[in-house]
Amino acid sequence: MQLPLAGIIMYQIVPSNGEYFGPYLRYTNMDIDLGIWLGSVLIISTDPQPPTVHLHQSQDLSPNPRQLKANPIFTHRAWTFYRYDIDIQMGDTPTQWTYAVTSNMGCIRFEFLVAGKHERTWRWVAHSCNDFSVSVKPEEKVKLNGPGHMWNDLMQKHLETGGFHVQIGGGDQIYADRMWRELPLLRVRNYPPIIFLGNCG
């Protein structure tokens, strides 16, 4: 059965930077005995030559940072999902790390914090929802300064506390509510009712 293209045509989703989606940093685990922090970076691109990702301690300005390998883990249409695995030897104190993504657009750098090997007071942050549901009126969104207000507040807290070690998204990270109202195929009445579970207004 061929899937209809209505939704794909209506929602022309493109990366905000015009080239790739991401990067998305993921904390995976840690080996307590060996003191190794494990994580990855995900980038989704149509370019057959994926972006390069280099990793180094933020204070280390040596000209030879470690290059991470791009592992293609999934393909959808023209898009390839690349995972760059990270393993970091943890120090005795918290360490700031930098990863740099280089593509045809140039180079952009991101930082993250890795806890000390024996540190047991990790700072966590959890959030739910990354946008407003369709039931929220535009004027209400304006009063709340839009969804970006939460992220600005979170970044301010990140700076004030010395950095969060882990961030957990609890759901509703991708909002697709509009398609249930706007795509004719999904408005057909002979479909069973769809129930949305969540805590967002």
Side-chain angles (χ1 to χ4, degrees), residues 117 151 171:
K117 187 172 13 180
W151 296 113

Side-chain angles (χ1 to χ4, degrees), residues 184-201:
L185 181 67
L186 296 178
R187 287 200 308 254
V188 176
R189 299 197 185 278
N190 59 1
Y191 279 93
I194 297 166
I195 299 171
F196 293 99
L197 300 176
N199 60 352
C200 299

Side-chain angles (χ1 to χ4, degrees), residues 59-91:
Q59 295 176 340
D60 179 8
L61 302 178
S62 66
N64 297 312
R66 178 174 141 205
Q67 183 169 339
L68 304 178
K69 182 183 176 187
N71 300 300
I73 59 170
F74 184 73
T75 301
H76 175 72
R77 297 184 184 268
W79 296 94
T80 302
F81 292 63
Y82 295 99
R83 187 185 69 214
Y84 302 76
D85 292 316
I86 301 173
D87 58 283
I88 293 173
Q89 188 68 51
M90 299 169 74

Side-chain angles (χ1 to χ4, degrees), residues 37-140:
W37 185 97
L38 301 167
S40 64
V41 171
L42 178 70
I43 293 176
I44 306 158
S45 175
T46 57
D47 194 329
Q49 187 66 34
T52 58
V53 178
H54 290 88
L55 177 74
H56 63 88
Q57 285 190 27
S58 297
Q59 295 176 340
D60 179 8
L61 302 178
S62 66
N64 297 312
R66 178 174 141 205
Q67 183 169 339
L68 304 178
K69 182 183 176 187
N71 300 300
I73 59 170
F74 184 73
T75 301
H76 175 72
R77 297 184 184 268
W79 296 94
T80 302
F81 292 63
Y82 295 99
R83 187 185 69 214
Y84 302 76
D85 292 316
I86 301 173
D87 58 283
I88 293 173
Q89 188 68 51
M90 299 169 74
D92 292 327
T93 58
T95 310
Q96 198 83 18
W97 286 82
T98 297
Y99 65 97
V101 179
T102 305
S103 68
N104 297 327
M105 297 173 33
C107 181
I108 186 166
R109 292 174 175 78
F110 302 89
E111 289 191 330
F112 63 101
L113 182 66
V114 173
K117 187 172 13 180
H118 305 292
E119 193 175 357
R120 298 295 179 258
T121 54
W122 284 32
R123 290 181 294 278
W124 296 70
V125 61
H127 64 91
S128 177
C129 301
N130 190 26
D131 201 346
F132 296 101
S133 68
V134 291
S135 63
V136 179
K137 296 177 182 173
E139 55 270 21
E140 293 298 321

